[in-house]
């Protein structure tokens, strides 16, 4: 019969006192792309995206005083470069944790995935590629604004899309026996089988301690009952050898590759690898040739109350794909039915964004999230450097905290650019958009404000707040943490960020005004977080300006 149906803590930035311009966000300091900070012709001072040759210098010549040379600090970096990311798993898993009465591990809280869990109403391009939108508003801290960079692809073509050839790699290890894991995967695959077109094809690979192809690449038309029978026979057993599953999945995908179709490997797992290769880099090395030669990307779907979020994220990032998380049949239906074209088709390969801030107008800026997607500034136009893969109908949002210079209310703030490769012939394209300081004058909160910008702000500030409550911040190195990295820092969150209780009230108002169920869920998650953290009533915020801060990227 067919079945239906690391620590709690936070990223903390010292905004009220002395700040270190460490370049810890995406697009951190590079050796060449430095912007001139003062004087000179303003037309020459604004940094342009990805200059062909490095601009500026690492420092000024030493000045002499009393016969001693004095080293001058290097000028700050006013470029921010990152690979596009349409992952949403971090937000989905955080919601699941909060529903179960647990704070999410701060190491698994990625603000960009919170923000990108909410679709934005950006203008869509007429053809392939991206549209670029840039706007912003003034935060509760009068010195700081929130700047939003929005990228969008045109929607899917429905029945006109190319046929799909999907290889599902299903985790049937013992840990998948928990309710909400393999049973949810079976239901999801049943749903998807009924929604795919007759000219689509699927293959199914299972893995526990070993991997096995239980369904070779099979056309949907005329074979639905057979496919459903294979899905219903999936049962949990033994250990979790993710490497074996991914390797077998790619072998099966290559053997069953259909010319003219969209060929994808879809990994469905709790990603709790405990047998064989357990490192993302090592796993992907085993299928490197197939992945590059055949252009087959890896889409990850995470399940389970205990979930290897970081392994799945690194696998899909390095596998030229993306990841999401499902905890209910409604979420599975959205992923496998409603959003299926966005998850299997491609509008762009190796997409990267670069925001060039004008040092004459901008004093400081901080990209919210994207730490794992950092790209060196000089690699923006190096098409050999991996970016992100983006499908039809996707939107990508990046939020920046921006502090303007005194009296710079009418200047140029930034130029946002996106570069991508055509998914078929890999020819490069770019689009750009600019924003002036006058566009940041309107308030972020209150009646008449842009509700879509408010939703993005609530999501980004929420993620930062979940990190900030224990003084957690990401380590400067992926491999080790120093004492300073682990220590709480004063200030607690991004400049102008409301407290979590204040964010909860904003989310509740937005849920009412928009009537959006996703925003209502966001308000519920904020309420659960506030309760777990004991944050009622809302604490007083200290908005004092410490003065004497460095400039450029924080």
């Amino acid at each position: 019969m067919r079945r239906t149906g690391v620590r709690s803590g936070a990223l903390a930035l010292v905004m009220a006192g002395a700040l270190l311009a460490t370049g810890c966000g995406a697009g951190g300091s590079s050796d060449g792309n430095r912007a001139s900070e003062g004087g000179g012709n303003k037309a020459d001072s604004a940094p342009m995206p990805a200059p062909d040759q490095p601009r500026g210098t690492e420092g000024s010549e030493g000045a002499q005083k009393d016969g001693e040379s004095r080293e001058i600090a290097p000028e700050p970096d006013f470029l921010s470069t990152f690979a596009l990311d349409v992952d949403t798993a971090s937000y989905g898993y955080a919601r699941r944790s909060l529903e179960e009465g647990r704070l999410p591990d701060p190491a698994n809280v990625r603000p960009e995935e919170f923000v990108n869990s909410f679709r934005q109403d950006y203008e869509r391009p007429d053809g392939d590629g991206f549209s670029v939108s840039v706007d912003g508003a003034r935060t509760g801290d009068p010195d700081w604004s929130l700047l939003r960079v929005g990228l969008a692809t045109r929607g899917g073509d429905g029945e006109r899309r190319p046929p799909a050839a999907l290889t599902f790699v299903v985790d049937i290890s013992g840990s998948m026996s928990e309710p909400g894991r393999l049973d949810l995967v079976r239901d999801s695959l049943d749903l998807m089988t009924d929604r795919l077109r007759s000219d689509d094809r699927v293959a199914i690979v299972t893995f526990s301690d070993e991997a096995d192809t239980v369904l070779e690449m099979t056309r949907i038309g005329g074979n639905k009952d057979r496919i459903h029978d294979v899905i219903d026979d999936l049962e949990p057993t033994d250990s979790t050898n993710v490497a074996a599953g991914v390797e077998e999945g790619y072998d099966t995908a290559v053997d069953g590759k259909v010319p003219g179709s969209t060929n994808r490997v879809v990994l469905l797992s709790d990603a709790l690898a405990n047998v064989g290769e357990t490192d993302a880099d090592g796993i992907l090395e085993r299928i490197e040739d197939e992945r590059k030669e055949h252009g087959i990307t890896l889409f990850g779907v995470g399940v389970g109350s205990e979930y290897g979020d970081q392994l799945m994220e690194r696998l899909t990032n390095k596998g030229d794909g993306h990841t999401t998380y499902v905890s209910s049949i409604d979420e599975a239906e959205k992923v496998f039915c409603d959003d299926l074209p966005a998850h299997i088709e491609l509008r762009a390969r190796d997409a990267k964004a670069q925001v060039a801030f004008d040092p004459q107008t901008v004093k400081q800026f901080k990209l919210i999230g994207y730490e794992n997607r950092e790209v060196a500034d000089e690699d923006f136009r190096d098409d050999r450097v991996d970016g992100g893969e983006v499908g039809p109908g996707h939107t990508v949002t990046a939020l920046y905290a921006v502090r303007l210079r005194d009296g710079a209310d009418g200047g140029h703030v930034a130029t946002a650019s996106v570069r991508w490769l055509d998914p078929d012939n890999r020819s490069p394209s770019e689009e750009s958009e600019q924003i002036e300081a006058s566009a940041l004058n309107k308030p972020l909160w209150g009646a008449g404000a842009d509700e879509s910008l408010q939703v993005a702000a609530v999501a980004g500030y929420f993620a930062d707040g979940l990190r900030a409550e224990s003084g957690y911040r990401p380590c400067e190195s992926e491999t080790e943490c120093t004492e300073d990295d682990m220590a709480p820092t004063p200030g607690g969150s991004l400049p102008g960020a409301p407290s979590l209780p204040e964010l909860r009230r904003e989310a509740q108002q937005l849920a009412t005004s928009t009537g959006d169920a996703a925003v209502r869920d966001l308000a519920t998650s904020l309420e659960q977080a506030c309760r777990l953290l004991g944050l009622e009533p809302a604490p007083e915020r200290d908005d004092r300006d410490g003065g004497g801060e460095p400039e450029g990227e924080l």
Side-chain angles (χ1 to χ4, degrees), residues 292-308:
K292 287 189 172 181
E293 179 182 352
H294 298 281
I296 300 174
T297 60
L298 180 63
F299 172 39
V301 181
V303 296
S305 59
E306 296 297 326
Y307 165 54

Side-chain angles (χ1 to χ4, degrees), residues 328-527:
S328 68
I329 193 62
D330 289 340
E331 292 174 357
E333 183 170 10
K334 186 174 187 302
V335 169
F336 288 102
C337 301
D338 301 341
D339 297 339
L340 187 64
H343 292 311
I344 63 174
E345 290 186 73
L346 283 182
R347 285 282 185 263
R349 285 188 182 274
D350 290 325
K352 291 169 277 190
Q354 183 171 85
V355 181
F357 290 94
D358 188 331
Q360 292 278 3
T361 305
V362 176
K363 184 173 184 178
Q364 294 170 297
F365 68 93
K366 170 65 182 177
L367 175 59
I368 301 175
Y370 288 94
E371 291 94 351
N372 293 344
R373 307 294 280 163
E374 176 181 350
V375 174
D377 294 334
E378 63 269 23
D379 288 340
F380 177 62
R381 289 199 178 100
D382 186 342
D383 297 327
R384 298 167 299 178
V385 175
D386 280 346
E389 275 56 45
V390 182
H394 267 131
T395 61
V396 180
T397 300
L399 298 177
Y400 287 87
V402 177
R403 184 176 187 178
L404 302 184
R405 295 185 183 277
D406 294 341
D409 296 337
H412 171 67
V413 173
T415 299
S417 301
V418 59
R419 182 178 177 89
W420 72 94
L421 303 182
D422 182 275
D424 297 322
N425 60 32
R426 302 189 71 85
S427 61
S429 299
E430 285 187 26
E431 287 289 339
S432 296
E433 189 60 61
Q434 301 186 39
I435 185 170
E436 305 300 310
S438 58
L440 302 178
N441 288 336
K442 60 185 179 182
L444 176 59
W445 310 111
D450 186 321
E451 289 183 333
S452 66
L453 176 59
Q454 289 178 324
V455 170
V458 170
Y461 286 143
F462 181 26
D464 180 68
L466 286 173
R467 286 171 158 187
E469 285 305 319
S470 311
Y472 170 87
R473 60 181 179 180
C475 301
E476 298 299 330
S477 164
E478 286 189 358
T479 57
E480 60 181 348
C481 292
T482 67
E483 233 176 78
D484 287 341
D485 287 328
M486 303 297 294
T489 55
S493 70
L494 294 164
S499 66
L500 289 182
E502 290 169 330
L503 284 174
R504 184 202 63 179
R505 287 192 287 271
E506 295 291 348
Q508 289 172 333
Q509 293 171 1
L510 285 166
T512 300
S513 62
T514 64
D516 189 331
V519 179
R520 191 174 303 113
D521 290 340
L522 176 61
T524 299
S525 295
L526 274 156
E527 181 177 1

Side-chain angles (χ1 to χ4, degrees), residues 125-444:
D126 294 331
D128 288 341
F130 293 89
S131 64
V132 183
S133 304
V134 192
D135 63 357
R138 190 175 61 253
T139 71
D141 183 331
D143 290 334
W144 288 85
S145 298
L146 189 73
L147 185 144
R148 173 175 62 168
V149 176
L151 310 170
T153 59
R154 66 180 174 89
D157 295 328
E159 291 301 310
R160 291 180 293 171
R161 68 167 172 82
L166 309 177
T167 301
F168 290 93
V169 179
V170 182
D171 185 347
I172 59 167
S173 63
S175 61
M176 292 290 286
S177 62
E178 175 195 285
R181 298 195 188 193
L182 187 56
D183 57 338
L184 180 58
V185 168
R186 286 191 297 251
D187 291 344
S188 300
L189 293 179
D190 276 330
L191 274 172
M192 179 220 59
T193 300
D194 288 333
R195 296 290 184 92
L196 285 173
R197 297 190 326 221
S198 61
D199 60 343
D200 292 328
R201 290 171 167 81
V202 298
I204 298 176
V205 171
T206 61
F207 70 93
S208 52
D209 54 344
E210 296 179 345
D212 184 33
T213 298
V214 295
L215 179 72
E216 70 282 0
M217 194 63 72
T218 301
R219 196 174 190 273
I220 295 290
N223 293 297
K224 282 189 177 180
D225 288 343
R226 178 188 171 200
I227 296 169
H228 284 304
D229 288 343
V230 172
I231 293 168
D232 291 346
D233 286 341
L234 300 176
E235 295 292 344
T237 179
D238 300 328
S239 303
T240 310
N241 191 337
V242 174
V246 171
E247 187 172 10
E248 177 74 11
Y250 267 87
D251 286 345
T252 299
V254 171
D255 289 344
K257 184 178 179 182
V258 180
S261 294
T262 302
N263 295 269
R264 296 285 175 270
V265 171
V266 183
L267 174 62
L268 302 103
S269 175
D270 58 17
L272 300 176
N274 55 21
V275 173
E277 178 64 69
T278 59
D279 175 73
D281 292 341
I283 291 172
L284 289 173
E285 281 177 6
R286 300 170 66 166
I287 49 89
E288 186 76 5
D289 292 341
E290 291 94 335
R291 183 171 63 86
K292 287 189 172 181
E293 179 182 352
H294 298 281
I296 300 174
T297 60
L298 180 63
F299 172 39
V301 181
V303 296
S305 59
E306 296 297 326
Y307 165 54
D309 172 84
Q310 293 186 58
L311 174 61
M312 184 73 88
E313 194 240 356
R314 287 183 62 80
L315 273 174
T316 55
N317 280 353
K318 292 181 176 295
D320 296 332
H322 62 283
T323 184
T324 190
Y325 176 87
V326 297
S327 60
S328 68
I329 193 62
D330 289 340
E331 292 174 357
E333 183 170 10
K334 186 174 187 302
V335 169
F336 288 102
C337 301
D338 301 341
D339 297 339
L340 187 64
H343 292 311
I344 63 174
E345 290 186 73
L346 283 182
R347 285 282 185 263
R349 285 188 182 274
D350 290 325
K352 291 169 277 190
Q354 183 171 85
V355 181
F357 290 94
D358 188 331
Q360 292 278 3
T361 305
V362 176
K363 184 173 184 178
Q364 294 170 297
F365 68 93
K366 170 65 182 177
L367 175 59
I368 301 175
Y370 288 94
E371 291 94 351
N372 293 344
R373 307 294 280 163
E374 176 181 350
V375 174
D377 294 334
E378 63 269 23
D379 288 340
F380 177 62
R381 289 199 178 100
D382 186 342
D383 297 327
R384 298 167 299 178
V385 175
D386 280 346
E389 275 56 45
V390 182
H394 267 131
T395 61
V396 180
T397 300
L399 298 177
Y400 287 87
V402 177
R403 184 176 187 178
L404 302 184
R405 295 185 183 277
D406 294 341
D409 296 337
H412 171 67
V413 173
T415 299
S417 301
V418 59
R419 182 178 177 89
W420 72 94
L421 303 182
D422 182 275
D424 297 322
N425 60 32
R426 302 189 71 85
S427 61
S429 299
E430 285 187 26
E431 287 289 339
S432 296
E433 189 60 61
Q434 301 186 39
I435 185 170
E436 305 300 310
S438 58
L440 302 178
N441 288 336
K442 60 185 179 182
L444 176 59

